[in-house]
Amino acid sequence: VQAQMLPWQAGLHGGARPEVQVKTLSADDADGSASLVVRYPRGFERTSPEHLTAHEEFLVLDGWIEINGRRYGTHSYGFLPAGYPRERARAPDGAVLLDLFYGEPRAVAGAGGGYDDKLLVEYVDPLTMDWDPGLVDPQLAKGVAIKPLRTDPYTGEVSFLYCSPPHRVPPGMAKPQWTHPMVEELYVLEGEYVW
């Protein structure tokens, strides 16, 4: 999927945040889960408490957004579980996020009925982290390094930033094949990745 070729559409598919624009990268018709690029307009602001009915995982691609007084700048990350209270939110200059929803994102007024604290990753600033090559199997990905963002405490699924150097696989050379028991989804932030 070439995100730059997709049209912008109005609002999230669950009815929450009708003022944003979205590009749908992937969607699950069964449960409403989706991966989106979400563009918040200049002057976006919510001052009334609400919570979502789905988990929201996001990485800021451009600009900044503030949620509950915490400022998420470019490349900041968060995983906010379903029911997590959003007392207020704003994006005065607008912002663009890579947003993953684990279910249909519907907004419910009020502070929420509780959320799973084990899932909460309120804030990660990858710009303060070192790239770690020790977290990758060198047989499969020599020269690759990652910045871990989250590990699901129940499923073991992980979210991370991934850095691959140029010329890692010379022409004509094949890397070993592998598989894993969960879905893998990639979004290229910079450069080109050939698979």
Side-chain angles (χ1 to χ4, degrees):
V1 174
Q2 297 289 332
Q4 64 271 28
M5 302 301 288
L6 297 174
W8 290 103
Q9 298 175 322
L12 297 180
H13 58 289
R17 303 177 194 153
E19 59 273 81
V20 304
Q21 293 184 309
V22 302
K23 292 185 177 197
T24 303
L25 305 175
S26 68
D28 186 328
D29 294 333
D31 70 359
S33 294
S35 300
L36 311 167
V37 176
V38 178
R39 183 167 64 188
Y40 287 81
R42 180 180 296 275
F44 172 85
E45 186 169 18
R46 289 283 174 87
T47 56
S48 300
E50 68 176 22
H51 62 279
L52 293 182
T53 58
H55 304 322
E56 179 180 11
E57 181 174 22
F58 63 89
L59 181 78
V60 178
L61 300 176
D62 190 39
W64 62 273
I65 187 168
E66 185 179 288
I67 301 171
N68 295 347
R70 180 180 295 279
R71 183 173 168 155
Y72 296 85
T74 300
H75 293 174
S76 295
Y77 170 88
F79 187 99
L80 309 179
Y84 178 82
R86 290 161 174 78
E87 300 294 335
R88 60 194 184 284
R90 67 188 190 105
D93 300 320
V96 179
L97 279 62
L98 175 62
D99 231 324
L100 290 76
F101 292 99
Y102 293 65
E104 186 177 72
R106 289 180 283 117
V108 179
Y115 61 92
D116 188 338
D117 191 51
K118 291 181 183 177
L119 294 174
L120 177 64
V121 179
E122 197 165 32
Y123 176 80
V124 176
D125 181 1
L127 298 178
T128 65
M129 302 167 67
D130 290 329
W131 289 103
D132 191 342
L135 297 175
V136 182
D137 183 343
Q139 180 183 1
L140 299 178
K142 188 173 184 179
V144 167
I146 67 172
K147 292 184 179 186
L149 303 173
R150 176 185 89 98
T151 299
D152 188 293
Y154 303 109
T155 66
E157 294 175 344
V158 295
S159 297
F160 52 86
L161 295 181
Y162 170 97
C163 178
S164 180
H167 312 293
R168 184 170 65 86
V169 182
M173 179 184 170
K175 298 296 274 183
Q177 293 184 1
W178 71 93
T179 187
H180 39 65
M182 67 274 298
V183 172
E184 180 173 358
E185 194 165 13
L186 297 167
Y187 184 87
V188 177
L189 296 175
E190 188 174 337
E192 181 177 61
Y193 192 71
V194 179
W195 206 323

